[in-house]
Amino acid sequence: MAGVLIGLALLAFWLFSLFDVVTTPEDEVRNVPKPLWIIIVVVIPLLGGVVWMARGRPRAPRAAWPVPRARARRRDRTTTPTSCVTSTGGCAATTSPEPS
């Protein structure tokens, strides 16, 4: 019984590998041309399928690493902005007393 299950699992893997090679677009196949991959998977069923999965199958696109944002500067807690009405057009800052 165990031999039958192993045989069915190997047959399923071989059929999956063969179907995967046949349905993969020609321009996405890696390392060798697609017809050669079909021959490899058909002639060497188990090893050909493993090599196809490792070396011939197209890689899934990877997401780019997120770029960390620059941290906002912490304001000095002793200065608070006042009104932005000055002769130069900029904002003036005043010093507030320390809270007790």
Side-chain angles (χ1 to χ4, degrees):
M1 182 67 180
V4 173
L5 290 177
I6 292 172
L8 286 175
L10 291 175
L11 178 66
F13 176 72
W14 178 71
L15 288 173
F16 172 77
S17 299
L18 185 61
F19 181 76
D20 196 35
V21 173
V22 170
T23 59
T24 300
E26 181 82 31
D27 57 333
E28 293 181 14
V29 174
R30 297 186 300 149
N31 295 324
V32 295
K34 184 176 175 177
L36 187 58
W37 276 119
I38 294 172
I39 293 170
I40 290 171
V41 171
V42 169
V43 172
I44 314 167
L46 180 60
L47 185 61
V50 170
V51 173
W52 162 252
M53 294 295 170
R55 291 294 188 190
R57 196 169 198 223
R59 291 187 179 169
R62 294 183 178 181
W65 285 87
V67 178
R69 291 183 174 180
R71 291 186 178 171
R73 293 185 187 181
R74 296 180 73 187
R75 286 189 179 179
D76 185 12
R77 293 183 182 171
T78 60
T79 60
T80 56
T82 59
S83 66
C84 291
V85 180
T86 60
S87 61
T88 60
C91 291
T94 59
T95 305
S96 61
E98 290 282 329
S100 315

